[in-house]
Amino acid sequence: MPINQLPLELLTQIFTHTIDDDPSFDISRSPLVLLRTCRLWRFLALSVSSLWSSLQVRITSQTDSRILGVLDRWLKLSRLHPLDISVVYLPPTDTFARRFNPVSTAVVERLSHEATRWRHVRFAVPSATITPLFIALANGTCRIGDLRSLDLDMQGVWCPRSCEVSARNILHSISLEKLTELNCAMDLAGLFTVDEVYSLFSRAANLTKCQLGVKLNSRSVLSISEREQLVMARLKTLTFNFHYTDVVSDASIPSPSLRSMLDVLSAPALEEFQVEWPTCGPSSYIDDGLARSLASFLTRAASTIERLQLHYLPISSSQLTDVLSCVSSVAQLDVRMYIHNSVTLEALEFLCCSSADAQMPLPRLRSLVIHDPCHPCPVSAVVSLVESRRLENFTFLTTKVVHDQLHSHSVGWREMGMNVEIDYLMI
């Protein structure tokens, strides 16, 4: 049967399956290409609002105002359908040629007129691009509907701003009750405080995936330590990227911020946990309390957590083994030690197992990443670790001496089908 003789309802369903995950203004891709095929297809495409309910706007330094007319037409065709939108600013690779394109701001302003229809939103833009949206939210001239997912990736400040894009703007301006995914990577001044993270979690009970940049400073008031326990029953993926916002010393290190959050938070369905500590802090600081809080938090999710990333935390190698002993279900482990700390023989022997060991640590482990570039690990311990497990992936960043000694072993591991990457860093 010729395709144009199919029932219109069936032809419309076929059209919906031609839409990419990120439909753009490319005339060679659906839905725009449907308008150029024949009169019937053009009529149907213009009549089905769902075909126009998703769009990705890519902006470069050469993008001009003509894109606004296409955007207006696209939004009109979507009628009252909920919108999935993505705005991505692609700066030139030559940093000296970077000039802010104000068309990106105009695009966000046009989209903000339809903010009540937003469902899934991604902005990977400079802060200046999105500032007018938050000004409108603060003035009450714009209201965002019940978002399902929000992705804010602020890519630097290229011109003066009249409004700070911050965690506070998000908490006060956006309905969080139906939010299931949240990713906020903002400028340093706009990051979440630990108390704001608590406020967010207390309102966004349906979150399943969350990635947040969190600020740390020596003047933080840790009122969160007095809060009640908070259970995120649906949370499956949680990522904290911590940043210092001022110069800290050993005496003023703000790791109690993370401790206080971990002590009050439970995520019984958690499958992936990532935490990255800033690498620009004091050189010799070890926080005993942080290791205990981290172990306690992971214990509450021990039966479900499968992927664990611990980057540059101020804990010792022996404390690391205590933490890892709490998560027997982990299949993917990524450990990166601070420059003045190291993965010791004790930690390597903990990860190593023998066939006679009935209580093998991390029995499901299949992928292992260890970054310990400043301290020479015992080569025999590394070899025993790899050969005592059925690893599928092994990545090891170490000193040059260890790298050279492990080279011959890595060749044999690759022949056995293992994905192996061993590299070194000279400092």
Side-chain angles (χ1 to χ4, degrees):
M1 176 183 294
I3 190 170
N4 279 356
Q5 293 183 16
L6 292 175
L8 296 183
E9 295 80 2
L10 181 57
L11 189 57
T12 300
Q13 288 296 317
I14 294 174
F15 284 176
T16 61
H17 289 286
T18 66
I19 305 297
D20 296 334
D21 293 335
D22 55 346
S24 65
F25 296 160
D26 187 344
I27 61 174
S28 65
R29 297 170 59 188
S30 189
L32 290 179
V33 72
L34 300 176
L35 304 181
R36 307 170 62 238
T37 304
C38 66
R39 290 184 179 181
L40 174 62
W41 285 28
R42 178 181 177 86
F43 171 78
L44 282 179
L46 294 176
S47 303
V48 181
S49 60
S50 61
L51 296 178
W52 309 92
S53 62
S54 301
L55 71 154
Q56 181 183 87
V57 184
R58 293 178 177 267
I59 300 171
T60 68
S61 56
Q62 284 76 41
T63 303
D64 57 37
S65 59
R66 287 177 295 181
I67 196 174
L68 300 177
V70 180
L71 177 61
D72 288 340
R73 177 63 171 165
W74 195 294
L75 293 173
K76 184 177 180 180
L77 290 172
S78 68
R79 297 178 180 85
L80 299 179
H81 204 283
L83 293 174
D84 300 340
I85 62 175
S86 175
V87 180
V88 179
Y89 197 121
L90 302 172
T93 55
D94 182 1
T95 56
F96 293 100
R98 284 194 175 190
R99 289 181 175 82
F100 180 73
N101 188 344
V103 171
S104 65
T105 301
V107 167
V108 172
E109 287 179 332
R110 299 293 177 91
L111 291 172
S112 67
H113 298 159
E114 308 293 336
T116 55
R117 296 197 283 139
W118 290 359
R119 288 300 176 268
H120 302 280
V121 177
R122 177 178 181 238
F123 289 113
V125 296
S127 297
T129 296
I130 203 173
T131 292
L133 170 62
F134 284 94
I135 293 177
L137 290 171
N139 295 337
T141 57
C142 174
R143 185 180 72 83
I144 297 179
D146 294 327
L147 283 177
R148 301 300 191 271
S149 65
L150 174 63
D151 187 340
L152 293 179
D153 185 2
M154 304 292 99
Q155 300 180 338
V157 184
W158 297 353
C159 68
R161 295 167 295 174
S162 56
C163 175
E164 187 71 67
V165 178
S166 66
R168 183 166 299 180
N169 297 138
I170 296 173
L171 291 173
H172 292 174
S173 306
I174 297 176
S175 175
L176 303 173
E177 286 71 20
K178 295 184 179 180
L179 197 67
T180 60
E181 295 187 13
L182 176 63
N183 173 30
C184 288
M186 295 177 290
D187 297 329
L188 197 60
L191 297 173
F192 281 80
T193 65
V194 176
D195 283 323
E196 287 170 339
V197 173
Y198 183 95
S199 178
L200 166 71
F201 285 168
S202 64
R203 292 174 50 197
N206 290 310
L207 275 178
T208 61
K209 183 178 182 180
C210 183
Q211 179 174 341
L212 298 176
V214 184
K215 69 174 71 174
L216 299 171
N217 60 63
S218 57
R219 301 178 300 276
S220 296
V221 178
L222 302 176
S223 58
I224 192 173
S225 61
E226 302 174 359
R227 304 287 180 87
E228 296 180 354
Q229 289 290 317
L230 186 60
V231 179
M232 300 296 293
R234 300 184 180 183
L235 190 62
K236 294 184 177 181
T237 301
L238 177 61
T239 301
F240 288 134
N241 294 314
F242 288 93
H243 304 267
Y244 291 132
T245 57
D246 58 8
V247 178
V248 293
S249 63
D250 287 354
S252 63
I253 192 81
S255 57
S257 300
L258 178 56
R259 292 207 313 259
S260 56
M261 167 56 67
L262 295 176
D263 287 341
V264 300
L265 180 64
S266 294
L270 193 66
E271 297 176 357
E272 179 174 357
F273 180 60
Q274 304 178 25
V275 56
E276 180 167 333
W277 200 257
T279 58
C280 56
S283 61
S284 59
Y285 182 74
I286 296 294
D287 187 341
D288 296 333
L290 176 58
R292 289 192 296 269
S293 295
L294 181 59
S296 177
F297 169 74
L298 292 175
T299 298
R300 296 193 290 272
S303 62
T304 58
I305 191 163
E306 299 177 356
R307 298 173 295 280
L308 180 63
Q309 294 187 15
L310 305 176
H311 292 182
Y312 316 116
L313 293 179
I315 61 178
S316 67
S317 186
S318 60
Q319 291 170 338
L320 173 64
T321 62
D322 294 336
V323 170
L324 295 180
S325 65
C326 302
V327 284
S328 60
S329 59
V330 166
Q332 299 177 22
L333 176 63
D334 186 335
V335 175
R336 308 186 184 193
M337 301 301 286
Y338 191 49
I339 189 171
H340 295 281
N341 205 346
S342 65
V343 177
T344 62
L345 177 61
E346 176 187 2
L348 294 175
E349 289 179 341
F350 169 81
L351 291 172
C352 185
C353 63
S354 65
S355 58
D357 189 0
Q359 300 297 325
M360 177 176 56
L362 308 182
R364 302 180 184 178
L365 189 63
R366 293 294 178 268
S367 177
L368 177 61
V369 177
I370 297 179
H371 282 204
D372 188 24
C374 302
H375 301 269
C377 294
V379 174
S380 59
V382 177
V383 173
S384 297
L385 165 60
V386 176
E387 294 184 349
S388 67
R389 289 183 173 272
R390 295 181 179 178
L391 294 177
E392 298 173 359
N393 301 283
F394 179 61
T395 301
F396 194 52
L397 180 64
T398 181
T399 63
K400 188 177 189 306
V401 174
V402 176
H403 168 270
D404 293 343
Q405 293 176 330
L406 284 175
H407 178 70
S408 60
H409 293 280
S410 65
V411 173
W413 294 336
R414 292 189 181 97
E415 292 176 350
M416 296 170 57
M418 186 186 304
N419 182 20
V420 179
E421 181 180 352
I422 299 179
D423 206 347
Y424 65 89
L425 177 67
M426 299 290 289
I427 297 181

